[in-house]
């Protein structure tokens, strides 16, 4: 299978840069599968997974949202944070989800509600990708 250059960039570092066979990125319009010679695209990226196929094997990373650009040279995902699924600290993610749940129970204002919901979404994404699950159905 033909490859192309994928870069996943966060404010702290170049999270990933390398040749990939395929990437699947969650945009605000749904998942987009990217192969070599994909048409040019600029799209907002949602909180979710980035699936990267290298040498026939998929590897998942948690992504906190951002932007995707596809051009003839490469694919770039710019995100606030990215983390390989097998490196996620599940306890930290659960603590973050618990803090967000508490903020949602007793919010200060509309901004606090929005921030708590985003924090909860990111934490639940990280937990889901790590292969663990937790019940927050009462929220």
């Amino acid at each position: 299978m033909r490859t192309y250059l994928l870069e996943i960039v966060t404010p702290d570092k170049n999270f990933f840069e390398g040749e990939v066979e395929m990437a699947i990125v969650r945009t605000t319009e749904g998942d987009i599968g990217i192969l070599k010679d994909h048409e040019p695209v600029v799209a907002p990226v949602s909180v979710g997974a980035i699936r990267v196929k290298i040498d026939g094997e998929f590897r998942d990373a948690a992504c906190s949202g951002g932007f995707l650009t596809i051009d003839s040279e490469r694919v770039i995902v710019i995100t606030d944070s990215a983390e390989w699924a097998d490196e996620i600290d599940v306890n930290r993610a659960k603590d973050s989800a618990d803090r967000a749940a508490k903020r949602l129970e007793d919010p200060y204002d509309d901004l606090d509600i929005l921030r708590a919901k985003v924090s909860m979404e990111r934490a639940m994404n990280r937990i889901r990708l790590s292969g663990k699950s937790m019940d927050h159905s009462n929220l």
Side-chain angles (χ1 to χ4, degrees):
M1 185 173 272
R2 298 180 330 155
T3 64
Y4 60 89
L5 178 62
L6 171 67
E7 295 178 49
I8 303 173
V9 181
T10 70
D12 299 335
K13 62 184 175 184
N14 213 1
F15 174 74
F16 176 83
E17 183 175 354
E19 292 290 319
V20 301
E21 298 165 22
M22 179 182 197
I24 303 170
V25 179
R26 170 127 330 142
T27 72
T28 57
E29 298 298 318
D31 290 350
I32 182 172
I34 306 161
L35 297 170
K36 177 129 176 96
D37 296 327
H38 192 286
E39 68 181 40
V41 172
V42 174
V45 174
S46 295
V47 172
I50 298 174
R51 300 197 79 206
V52 179
K53 186 176 184 182
I54 304 169
D55 296 329
E57 299 288 325
F58 277 103
R59 188 167 187 201
D60 294 338
C63 172
S64 64
F67 289 92
L68 163 73
T69 62
I70 303 172
D71 64 30
S72 62
E73 301 295 316
R74 62 186 172 198
V75 174
I76 302 172
V77 177
I78 300 170
T79 181
D80 286 335
S81 65
E83 185 175 14
W84 293 116
D86 58 355
E87 296 174 359
I88 291 173
D89 182 338
V90 178
N91 290 327
R92 193 173 125 234
K94 286 180 180 179
D95 289 345
S96 180
D98 290 342
R99 283 191 307 275
K102 287 178 185 171
R103 285 196 310 266
L104 288 170
E105 289 173 6
D106 189 24
Y108 294 107
D109 55 29
D110 290 342
L111 179 60
D112 196 47
I113 292 170
L114 177 62
R115 288 161 65 189
K117 286 181 178 179
V118 169
S119 180
M120 176 66 77
E121 184 179 15
R122 289 177 178 172
M124 298 307 291
N125 179 56
R126 293 175 66 233
I127 292 165
R128 181 179 53 80
L129 282 174
S130 72
K132 310 293 183 206
S133 65
M134 64 186 295
D135 181 22
H136 275 263
S137 57
N138 59 341
L139 296 176

PDB file of all heavy atoms in Angstrom, residues 69-106:
ATOM      1  N   THR A  69      -5.498  19.406   7.891  1.00  0.00           N
ATOM      2  CA  THR A  69      -5.256  19.881   6.532  1.00  0.00           C
ATOM      3  C   THR A  69      -4.668  18.736   5.724  1.00  0.00           C
ATOM      4  O   THR A  69      -3.792  18.005   6.193  1.00  0.00           O
ATOM      5  CB  THR A  69      -4.292  21.088   6.465  1.00  0.00           C
ATOM      6  OG1 THR A  69      -3.019  20.710   6.976  1.00  0.00           O
ATOM      7  CG2 THR A  69      -4.825  22.262   7.257  1.00  0.00           C
ATOM      8  N   ILE A  70      -5.180  18.591   4.523  1.00  0.00           N
ATOM      9  CA  ILE A  70      -4.680  17.581   3.592  1.00  0.00           C
ATOM     10  C   ILE A  70      -4.289  18.322   2.330  1.00  0.00           C
ATOM     11  O   ILE A  70      -5.086  19.072   1.765  1.00  0.00           O
ATOM     12  CB  ILE A  70      -5.762  16.527   3.250  1.00  0.00           C
ATOM     13  CG1 ILE A  70      -6.277  15.844   4.510  1.00  0.00           C
ATOM     14  CG2 ILE A  70      -5.210  15.514   2.256  1.00  0.00           C
ATOM     15  CD1 ILE A  70      -7.482  14.945   4.274  1.00  0.00           C
ATOM     16  N   ASP A  71      -3.041  18.141   1.906  1.00  0.00           N
ATOM     17  CA  ASP A  71      -2.618  18.696   0.619  1.00  0.00           C
ATOM     18  C   ASP A  71      -1.832  17.639  -0.125  1.00  0.00           C
ATOM     19  O   ASP A  71      -1.745  16.495   0.317  1.00  0.00           O
ATOM     20  CB  ASP A  71      -1.841  20.010   0.788  1.00  0.00           C
ATOM     21  CG  ASP A  71      -0.527  19.856   1.545  1.00  0.00           C
ATOM     22  OD1 ASP A  71       0.098  18.781   1.486  1.00  0.00           O
ATOM     23  OD2 ASP A  71      -0.101  20.825   2.186  1.00  0.00           O
ATOM     24  N   SER A  72      -1.253  17.986  -1.232  1.00  0.00           N
ATOM     25  CA  SER A  72      -0.570  16.994  -2.066  1.00  0.00           C
ATOM     26  C   SER A  72       0.708  16.463  -1.432  1.00  0.00           C
ATOM     27  O   SER A  72       1.197  15.408  -1.827  1.00  0.00           O
ATOM     28  CB  SER A  72      -0.253  17.600  -3.439  1.00  0.00           C
ATOM     29  OG  SER A  72       0.619  18.704  -3.287  1.00  0.00           O
ATOM     30  N   GLU A  73       1.247  17.170  -0.458  1.00  0.00           N
ATOM     31  CA  GLU A  73       2.514  16.779   0.160  1.00  0.00           C
ATOM     32  C   GLU A  73       2.347  15.948   1.433  1.00  0.00           C
ATOM     33  O   GLU A  73       3.142  15.056   1.706  1.00  0.00           O
ATOM     34  CB  GLU A  73       3.332  18.032   0.499  1.00  0.00           C
ATOM     35  CG  GLU A  73       3.657  18.894  -0.696  1.00  0.00           C
ATOM     36  CD  GLU A  73       4.558  18.192  -1.685  1.00  0.00           C
ATOM     37  OE1 GLU A  73       5.529  17.544  -1.245  1.00  0.00           O
ATOM     38  OE2 GLU A  73       4.283  18.284  -2.896  1.00  0.00           O
ATOM     39  N   ARG A  74       1.306  16.291   2.230  1.00  0.00           N
ATOM     40  CA  ARG A  74       1.195  15.661   3.544  1.00  0.00           C
ATOM     41  C   ARG A  74      -0.172  15.925   4.163  1.00  0.00           C
ATOM     42  O   ARG A  74      -0.967  16.702   3.666  1.00  0.00           O
ATOM     43  CB  ARG A  74       2.277  16.186   4.478  1.00  0.00           C
ATOM     44  CG  ARG A  74       2.144  17.673   4.720  1.00  0.00           C
ATOM     45  CD  ARG A  74       3.270  18.230   5.500  1.00  0.00           C
ATOM     46  NE  ARG A  74       3.122  19.680   5.499  1.00  0.00           N
ATOM     47  CZ  ARG A  74       4.060  20.514   5.787  1.00  0.00           C
ATOM     48  NH1 ARG A  74       5.242  20.077   6.101  1.00  0.00           N
ATOM     49  NH2 ARG A  74       3.826  21.803   5.780  1.00  0.00           N
ATOM     50  N   VAL A  75      -0.395  15.267   5.304  1.00  0.00           N
ATOM     51  CA  VAL A  75      -1.582  15.478   6.124  1.00  0.00           C
ATOM     52  C   VAL A  75      -1.092  15.981   7.475  1.00  0.00           C
ATOM     53  O   VAL A  75      -0.170  15.411   8.054  1.00  0.00           O
ATOM     54  CB  VAL A  75      -2.377  14.165   6.289  1.00  0.00           C
ATOM     55  CG1 VAL A  75      -3.528  14.346   7.264  1.00  0.00           C
ATOM     56  CG2 VAL A  75      -2.873  13.668   4.936  1.00  0.00           C
ATOM     57  N   ILE A  76      -1.707  17.064   7.930  1.00  0.00           N
ATOM     58  CA  ILE A  76      -1.323  17.635   9.220  1.00  0.00           C
ATOM     59  C   ILE A  76      -2.562  17.729  10.103  1.00  0.00           C
ATOM     60  O   ILE A  76      -3.599  18.237   9.681  1.00  0.00           O
ATOM     61  CB  ILE A  76      -0.716  19.043   9.067  1.00  0.00           C
ATOM     62  CG1 ILE A  76       0.508  19.004   8.153  1.00  0.00           C
ATOM     63  CG2 ILE A  76      -0.340  19.609  10.436  1.00  0.00           C
ATOM     64  CD1 ILE A  76       1.043  20.387   7.808  1.00  0.00           C
ATOM     65  N   VAL A  77      -2.438  17.220  11.332  1.00  0.00           N
ATOM     66  CA  VAL A  77      -3.470  17.394  12.348  1.00  0.00           C
ATOM     67  C   VAL A  77      -2.855  18.283  13.425  1.00  0.00           C
ATOM     68  O   VAL A  77      -1.808  17.954  13.985  1.00  0.00           O
ATOM     69  CB  VAL A  77      -3.921  16.055  12.963  1.00  0.00           C
ATOM     70  CG1 VAL A  77      -4.942  16.292  14.068  1.00  0.00           C
ATOM     71  CG2 VAL A  77      -4.479  15.127  11.893  1.00  0.00           C
ATOM     72  N   ILE A  78      -3.503  19.416  13.671  1.00  0.00           N
ATOM     73  CA  ILE A  78      -3.069  20.323  14.731  1.00  0.00           C
ATOM     74  C   ILE A  78      -4.091  20.195  15.848  1.00  0.00           C
ATOM     75  O   ILE A  78      -5.284  20.418  15.642  1.00  0.00           O
ATOM     76  CB  ILE A  78      -2.988  21.772  14.222  1.00  0.00           C
ATOM     77  CG1 ILE A  78      -1.992  21.862  13.065  1.00  0.00           C
ATOM     78  CG2 ILE A  78      -2.605  22.720  15.356  1.00  0.00           C
ATOM     79  CD1 ILE A  78      -1.999  23.178  12.340  1.00  0.00           C
ATOM     80  N   THR A  79      -3.641  19.822  17.031  1.00  0.00           N
ATOM     81  CA  THR A  79      -4.537  19.555  18.152  1.00  0.00           C
ATOM     82  C   THR A  79      -3.936  20.069  19.458  1.00  0.00           C
ATOM     83  O   THR A  79      -2.714  20.200  19.573  1.00  0.00           O
ATOM     84  CB  THR A  79      -4.831  18.047  18.255  1.00  0.00           C
ATOM     85  OG1 THR A  79      -5.724  17.810  19.350  1.00  0.00           O
ATOM     86  CG2 THR A  79      -3.575  17.224  18.448  1.00  0.00           C
ATOM     87  N   ASP A  80      -4.805  20.348  20.427  1.00  0.00           N
ATOM     88  CA  ASP A  80      -4.324  20.797  21.733  1.00  0.00           C
ATOM     89  C   ASP A  80      -3.564  19.691  22.452  1.00  0.00           C
ATOM     90  O   ASP A  80      -2.590  19.950  23.155  1.00  0.00           O
ATOM     91  CB  ASP A  80      -5.483  21.258  22.615  1.00  0.00           C
ATOM     92  CG  ASP A  80      -6.032  22.602  22.199  1.00  0.00           C
ATOM     93  OD1 ASP A  80      -5.293  23.394  21.586  1.00  0.00           O
ATOM     94  OD2 ASP A  80      -7.217  22.869  22.484  1.00  0.00           O
ATOM     95  N   SER A  81      -4.022  18.447  22.290  1.00  0.00           N
ATOM     96  CA  SER A  81      -3.318  17.332  22.911  1.00  0.00           C
ATOM     97  C   SER A  81      -3.586  16.046  22.148  1.00  0.00           C
ATOM     98  O   SER A  81      -4.648  15.874  21.548  1.00  0.00           O
ATOM     99  CB  SER A  81      -3.730  17.165  24.383  1.00  0.00           C
ATOM    100  OG  SER A  81      -5.082  16.802  24.472  1.00  0.00           O
ATOM    101  N   ALA A  82      -2.615  15.162  22.189  1.00  0.00           N
ATOM    102  CA  ALA A  82      -2.727  13.839  21.575  1.00  0.00           C
ATOM    103  C   ALA A  82      -1.969  12.862  22.462  1.00  0.00           C
ATOM    104  O   ALA A  82      -0.950  13.214  23.061  1.00  0.00           O
ATOM    105  CB  ALA A  82      -2.150  13.835  20.165  1.00  0.00           C
ATOM    106  N   GLU A  83      -2.489  11.650  22.535  1.00  0.00           N
ATOM    107  CA  GLU A  83      -1.904  10.655  23.422  1.00  0.00           C
ATOM    108  C   GLU A  83      -2.203   9.267  22.871  1.00  0.00           C
ATOM    109  O   GLU A  83      -3.353   8.973  22.536  1.00  0.00           O
ATOM    110  CB  GLU A  83      -2.552  10.851  24.797  1.00  0.00           C
ATOM    111  CG  GLU A  83      -2.060  10.035  25.913  1.00  0.00           C
ATOM    112  CD  GLU A  83      -2.721  10.429  27.235  1.00  0.00           C
ATOM    113  OE1 GLU A  83      -3.737  11.150  27.247  1.00  0.00           O
ATOM    114  OE2 GLU A  83      -2.204   9.982  28.260  1.00  0.00           O
ATOM    115  N   TRP A  84      -1.173   8.433  22.721  1.00  0.00           N
ATOM    116  CA  TRP A  84      -1.395   7.070  22.251  1.00  0.00           C
ATOM    117  C   TRP A  84      -2.272   6.335  23.252  1.00  0.00           C
ATOM    118  O   TRP A  84      -2.107   6.479  24.465  1.00  0.00           O
ATOM    119  CB  TRP A  84      -0.080   6.327  22.053  1.00  0.00           C
ATOM    120  CG  TRP A  84       0.742   6.881  20.941  1.00  0.00           C
ATOM    121  CD1 TRP A  84       1.969   7.461  21.047  1.00  0.00           C
ATOM    122  CD2 TRP A  84       0.413   6.915  19.542  1.00  0.00           C
ATOM    123  NE1 TRP A  84       2.411   7.857  19.800  1.00  0.00           N
ATOM    124  CE2 TRP A  84       1.472   7.535  18.861  1.00  0.00           C
ATOM    125  CE3 TRP A  84      -0.691   6.485  18.798  1.00  0.00           C
ATOM    126  CZ2 TRP A  84       1.467   7.732  17.482  1.00  0.00           C
ATOM    127  CZ3 TRP A  84      -0.703   6.683  17.425  1.00  0.00           C
ATOM    128  CH2 TRP A  84       0.374   7.293  16.789  1.00  0.00           C
ATOM    129  N   ALA A  85      -3.202   5.541  22.757  1.00  0.00           N
ATOM    130  CA  ALA A  85      -4.167   4.846  23.606  1.00  0.00           C
ATOM    131  C   ALA A  85      -3.486   3.975  24.655  1.00  0.00           C
ATOM    132  O   ALA A  85      -3.930   3.916  25.798  1.00  0.00           O
ATOM    133  CB  ALA A  85      -5.107   4.000  22.753  1.00  0.00           C
ATOM    134  N   ASP A  86      -2.397   3.324  24.265  1.00  0.00           N
ATOM    135  CA  ASP A  86      -1.718   2.434  25.219  1.00  0.00           C
ATOM    136  C   ASP A  86      -0.872   3.185  26.248  1.00  0.00           C
ATOM    137  O   ASP A  86      -0.299   2.578  27.140  1.00  0.00           O
ATOM    138  CB  ASP A  86      -0.878   1.394  24.486  1.00  0.00           C
ATOM    139  CG  ASP A  86       0.169   1.990  23.562  1.00  0.00           C
ATOM    140  OD1 ASP A  86       0.213   3.225  23.398  1.00  0.00           O
ATOM    141  OD2 ASP A  86       0.951   1.210  22.984  1.00  0.00           O
ATOM    142  N   GLU A  87      -0.805   4.501  26.155  1.00  0.00           N
ATOM    143  CA  GLU A  87      -0.040   5.305  27.110  1.00  0.00           C
ATOM    144  C   GLU A  87      -0.942   6.170  27.995  1.00  0.00           C
ATOM    145  O   GLU A  87      -0.460   6.958  28.805  1.00  0.00           O
ATOM    146  CB  GLU A  87       0.950   6.202  26.357  1.00  0.00           C
ATOM    147  CG  GLU A  87       2.001   5.406  25.605  1.00  0.00           C
ATOM    148  CD  GLU A  87       2.902   6.269  24.733  1.00  0.00           C
ATOM    149  OE1 GLU A  87       2.703   7.507  24.683  1.00  0.00           O
ATOM    150  OE2 GLU A  87       3.810   5.705  24.100  1.00  0.00           O
ATOM    151  N   ILE A  88      -2.247   6.023  27.854  1.00  0.00           N
ATOM    152  CA  ILE A  88      -3.187   6.838  28.621  1.00  0.00           C
ATOM    153  C   ILE A  88      -3.159   6.430  30.092  1.00  0.00           C
ATOM    154  O   ILE A  88      -3.232   5.245  30.421  1.00  0.00           O
ATOM    155  CB  ILE A  88      -4.618   6.704  28.058  1.00  0.00           C
ATOM    156  CG1 ILE A  88      -4.682   7.379  26.682  1.00  0.00           C
ATOM    157  CG2 ILE A  88      -5.653   7.301  29.012  1.00  0.00           C
ATOM    158  CD1 ILE A  88      -5.991   7.173  25.949  1.00  0.00           C
ATOM    159  N   ASP A  89      -3.067   7.425  30.960  1.00  0.00           N
ATOM    160  CA  ASP A  89      -3.164   7.221  32.402  1.00  0.00           C
ATOM    161  C   ASP A  89      -4.659   7.206  32.738  1.00  0.00           C
ATOM    162  O   ASP A  89      -5.292   8.262  32.858  1.00  0.00           O
ATOM    163  CB  ASP A  89      -2.438   8.345  33.130  1.00  0.00           C
ATOM    164  CG  ASP A  89      -2.439   8.185  34.640  1.00  0.00           C
ATOM    165  OD1 ASP A  89      -3.323   7.474  35.171  1.00  0.00           O
ATOM    166  OD2 ASP A  89      -1.572   8.793  35.288  1.00  0.00           O
ATOM    167  N   VAL A  90      -5.227   6.022  32.876  1.00  0.00           N
ATOM    168  CA  VAL A  90      -6.664   5.871  33.070  1.00  0.00           C
ATOM    169  C   VAL A  90      -7.110   6.513  34.377  1.00  0.00           C
ATOM    170  O   VAL A  90      -8.168   7.145  34.436  1.00  0.00           O
ATOM    171  CB  VAL A  90      -7.074   4.385  33.021  1.00  0.00           C
ATOM    172  CG1 VAL A  90      -8.563   4.214  33.274  1.00  0.00           C
ATOM    173  CG2 VAL A  90      -6.705   3.783  31.680  1.00  0.00           C
ATOM    174  N   ASN A  91      -6.316   6.379  35.433  1.00  0.00           N
ATOM    175  CA  ASN A  91      -6.697   6.977  36.716  1.00  0.00           C
ATOM    176  C   ASN A  91      -6.784   8.496  36.604  1.00  0.00           C
ATOM    177  O   ASN A  91      -7.695   9.113  37.152  1.00  0.00           O
ATOM    178  CB  ASN A  91      -5.723   6.570  37.819  1.00  0.00           C
ATOM    179  CG  ASN A  91      -5.865   5.103  38.167  1.00  0.00           C
ATOM    180  OD1 ASN A  91      -6.955   4.544  38.095  1.00  0.00           O
ATOM    181  ND2 ASN A  91      -4.763   4.476  38.536  1.00  0.00           N
ATOM    182  N   ARG A  92      -5.848   9.088  35.890  1.00  0.00           N
ATOM    183  CA  ARG A  92      -5.884  10.540  35.687  1.00  0.00           C
ATOM    184  C   ARG A  92      -7.113  10.945  34.884  1.00  0.00           C
ATOM    185  O   ARG A  92      -7.781  11.937  35.179  1.00  0.00           O
ATOM    186  CB  ARG A  92      -4.599  10.999  34.993  1.00  0.00           C
ATOM    187  CG  ARG A  92      -4.414  12.498  35.033  1.00  0.00           C
ATOM    188  CD  ARG A  92      -3.046  12.892  34.476  1.00  0.00           C
ATOM    189  NE  ARG A  92      -3.304  13.841  33.418  1.00  0.00           N
ATOM    190  CZ  ARG A  92      -2.883  13.763  32.175  1.00  0.00           C
ATOM    191  NH1 ARG A  92      -2.130  12.765  31.795  1.00  0.00           N
ATOM    192  NH2 ARG A  92      -3.188  14.675  31.296  1.00  0.00           N
ATOM    193  N   ALA A  93      -7.440  10.165  33.861  1.00  0.00           N
ATOM    194  CA  ALA A  93      -8.623  10.451  33.056  1.00  0.00           C
ATOM    195  C   ALA A  93      -9.897  10.309  33.887  1.00  0.00           C
ATOM    196  O   ALA A  93     -10.816  11.130  33.774  1.00  0.00           O
ATOM    197  CB  ALA A  93      -8.663   9.530  31.839  1.00  0.00           C
ATOM    198  N   LYS A  94      -9.965   9.285  34.737  1.00  0.00           N
ATOM    199  CA  LYS A  94     -11.137   9.107  35.610  1.00  0.00           C
ATOM    200  C   LYS A  94     -11.246  10.270  36.593  1.00  0.00           C
ATOM    201  O   LYS A  94     -12.352  10.766  36.850  1.00  0.00           O
ATOM    202  CB  LYS A  94     -11.045   7.779  36.354  1.00  0.00           C
ATOM    203  CG  LYS A  94     -11.322   6.581  35.473  1.00  0.00           C
ATOM    204  CD  LYS A  94     -11.223   5.288  36.262  1.00  0.00           C
ATOM    205  CE  LYS A  94     -11.493   4.092  35.373  1.00  0.00           C
ATOM    206  NZ  LYS A  94     -11.379   2.824  36.101  1.00  0.00           N
ATOM    207  N   ASP A  95     -10.126  10.707  37.154  1.00  0.00           N
ATOM    208  CA  ASP A  95     -10.145  11.862  38.064  1.00  0.00           C
ATOM    209  C   ASP A  95     -10.668  13.107  37.348  1.00  0.00           C
ATOM    210  O   ASP A  95     -11.449  13.871  37.910  1.00  0.00           O
ATOM    211  CB  ASP A  95      -8.750  12.137  38.629  1.00  0.00           C
ATOM    212  CG  ASP A  95      -8.301  11.088  39.632  1.00  0.00           C
ATOM    213  OD1 ASP A  95      -9.158  10.312  40.120  1.00  0.00           O
ATOM    214  OD2 ASP A  95      -7.086  11.043  39.925  1.00  0.00           O
ATOM    215  N   SER A  96     -10.245  13.306  36.118  1.00  0.00           N
ATOM    216  CA  SER A  96     -10.697  14.448  35.329  1.00  0.00           C
ATOM    217  C   SER A  96     -12.198  14.358  35.072  1.00  0.00           C
ATOM    218  O   SER A  96     -12.925  15.362  35.171  1.00  0.00           O
ATOM    219  CB  SER A  96      -9.925  14.507  34.012  1.00  0.00           C
ATOM    220  OG  SER A  96     -10.351  15.600  33.241  1.00  0.00           O
ATOM    221  N   ALA A  97     -12.692  13.167  34.749  1.00  0.00           N
ATOM    222  CA  ALA A  97     -14.129  12.973  34.521  1.00  0.00           C
ATOM    223  C   ALA A  97     -14.915  13.232  35.797  1.00  0.00           C
ATOM    224  O   ALA A  97     -15.978  13.868  35.769  1.00  0.00           O
ATOM    225  CB  ALA A  97     -14.397  11.557  34.004  1.00  0.00           C
ATOM    226  N   ASP A  98     -14.385  12.790  36.922  1.00  0.00           N
ATOM    227  CA  ASP A  98     -15.056  13.019  38.208  1.00  0.00           C
ATOM    228  C   ASP A  98     -15.111  14.508  38.548  1.00  0.00           C
ATOM    229  O   ASP A  98     -16.138  15.009  39.010  1.00  0.00           O
ATOM    230  CB  ASP A  98     -14.355  12.252  39.333  1.00  0.00           C
ATOM    231  CG  ASP A  98     -14.554  10.743  39.235  1.00  0.00           C
ATOM    232  OD1 ASP A  98     -15.490  10.305  38.519  1.00  0.00           O
ATOM    233  OD2 ASP A  98     -13.771  10.010  39.857  1.00  0.00           O
ATOM    234  N   ARG A  99     -14.014  15.227  38.320  1.00  0.00           N
ATOM    235  CA  ARG A  99     -14.003  16.681  38.576  1.00  0.00           C
ATOM    236  C   ARG A  99     -15.015  17.385  37.680  1.00  0.00           C
ATOM    237  O   ARG A  99     -15.744  18.278  38.131  1.00  0.00           O
ATOM    238  CB  ARG A  99     -12.608  17.262  38.353  1.00  0.00           C
ATOM    239  CG  ARG A  99     -11.631  16.989  39.480  1.00  0.00           C
ATOM    240  CD  ARG A  99     -10.357  17.805  39.334  1.00  0.00           C
ATOM    241  NE  ARG A  99      -9.711  17.666  38.041  1.00  0.00           N
ATOM    242  CZ  ARG A  99      -8.856  16.702  37.720  1.00  0.00           C
ATOM    243  NH1 ARG A  99      -8.537  15.775  38.605  1.00  0.00           N
ATOM    244  NH2 ARG A  99      -8.311  16.662  36.515  1.00  0.00           N
ATOM    245  N   ALA A 100     -15.072  16.977  36.417  1.00  0.00           N
ATOM    246  CA  ALA A 100     -16.037  17.585  35.491  1.00  0.00           C
ATOM    247  C   ALA A 100     -17.470  17.296  35.933  1.00  0.00           C
ATOM    248  O   ALA A 100     -18.326  18.179  35.884  1.00  0.00           O
ATOM    249  CB  ALA A 100     -15.797  17.073  34.074  1.00  0.00           C
ATOM    250  N   ALA A 101     -17.730  16.082  36.383  1.00  0.00           N
ATOM    251  CA  ALA A 101     -19.074  15.725  36.860  1.00  0.00           C
ATOM    252  C   ALA A 101     -19.469  16.580  38.054  1.00  0.00           C
ATOM    253  O   ALA A 101     -20.616  17.052  38.146  1.00  0.00           O
ATOM    254  CB  ALA A 101     -19.127  14.240  37.218  1.00  0.00           C
ATOM    255  N   LYS A 102     -18.534  16.819  38.964  1.00  0.00           N
ATOM    256  CA  LYS A 102     -18.822  17.668  40.131  1.00  0.00           C
ATOM    257  C   LYS A 102     -19.111  19.100  39.707  1.00  0.00           C
ATOM    258  O   LYS A 102     -20.012  19.747  40.262  1.00  0.00           O
ATOM    259  CB  LYS A 102     -17.663  17.618  41.120  1.00  0.00           C
ATOM    260  CG  LYS A 102     -17.590  16.311  41.868  1.00  0.00           C
ATOM    261  CD  LYS A 102     -16.411  16.260  42.807  1.00  0.00           C
ATOM    262  CE  LYS A 102     -16.338  14.863  43.425  1.00  0.00           C
ATOM    263  NZ  LYS A 102     -15.124  14.663  44.183  1.00  0.00           N
ATOM    264  N   ARG A 103     -18.358  19.612  38.719  1.00  0.00           N
ATOM    265  CA  ARG A 103     -18.616  20.971  38.224  1.00  0.00           C
ATOM    266  C   ARG A 103     -19.978  21.057  37.552  1.00  0.00           C
ATOM    267  O   ARG A 103     -20.654  22.082  37.649  1.00  0.00           O
ATOM    268  CB  ARG A 103     -17.515  21.416  37.261  1.00  0.00           C
ATOM    269  CG  ARG A 103     -16.222  21.780  37.964  1.00  0.00           C
ATOM    270  CD  ARG A 103     -15.285  22.579  37.074  1.00  0.00           C
ATOM    271  NE  ARG A 103     -15.057  22.012  35.766  1.00  0.00           N
ATOM    272  CZ  ARG A 103     -14.047  21.213  35.432  1.00  0.00           C
ATOM    273  NH1 ARG A 103     -13.144  20.874  36.325  1.00  0.00           N
ATOM    274  NH2 ARG A 103     -13.916  20.772  34.199  1.00  0.00           N
ATOM    275  N   LEU A 104     -20.396  19.992  36.895  1.00  0.00           N
ATOM    276  CA  LEU A 104     -21.707  19.990  36.254  1.00  0.00           C
ATOM    277  C   LEU A 104     -22.841  19.936  37.278  1.00  0.00           C
ATOM    278  O   LEU A 104     -23.933  20.454  37.036  1.00  0.00           O
ATOM    279  CB  LEU A 104     -21.835  18.822  35.272  1.00  0.00           C
ATOM    280  CG  LEU A 104     -21.027  18.971  33.987  1.00  0.00           C
ATOM    281  CD1 LEU A 104     -21.021  17.664  33.201  1.00  0.00           C
ATOM    282  CD2 LEU A 104     -21.582  20.101  33.129  1.00  0.00           C
ATOM    283  N   GLU A 105     -22.583  19.328  38.433  1.00  0.00           N
ATOM    284  CA  GLU A 105     -23.598  19.271  39.493  1.00  0.00           C
ATOM    285  C   GLU A 105     -23.836  20.638  40.122  1.00  0.00           C
ATOM    286  O   GLU A 105     -24.942  20.950  40.526  1.00  0.00           O
ATOM    287  CB  GLU A 105     -23.168  18.277  40.575  1.00  0.00           C
ATOM    288  CG  GLU A 105     -23.231  16.832  40.142  1.00  0.00           C
ATOM    289  CD  GLU A 105     -22.630  15.890  41.185  1.00  0.00           C
ATOM    290  OE1 GLU A 105     -22.273  16.354  42.297  1.00  0.00           O
ATOM    291  OE2 GLU A 105     -22.504  14.699  40.881  1.00  0.00           O
ATOM    292  N   ASP A 106     -22.783  21.442  40.198  1.00  0.00           N
ATOM    293  CA  ASP A 106     -22.887  22.740  40.865  1.00  0.00           C
ATOM    294  C   ASP A 106     -22.094  23.796  40.085  1.00  0.00           C
ATOM    295  O   ASP A 106     -21.080  24.302  40.570  1.00  0.00           O
ATOM    296  CB  ASP A 106     -22.352  22.613  42.298  1.00  0.00           C
ATOM    297  CG  ASP A 106     -22.635  23.850  43.112  1.00  0.00           C
ATOM    298  OD1 ASP A 106     -23.579  24.591  42.785  1.00  0.00           O
ATOM    299  OD2 ASP A 106     -21.898  24.091  44.092  1.00  0.00           O
TER     300      ASP A 106
END
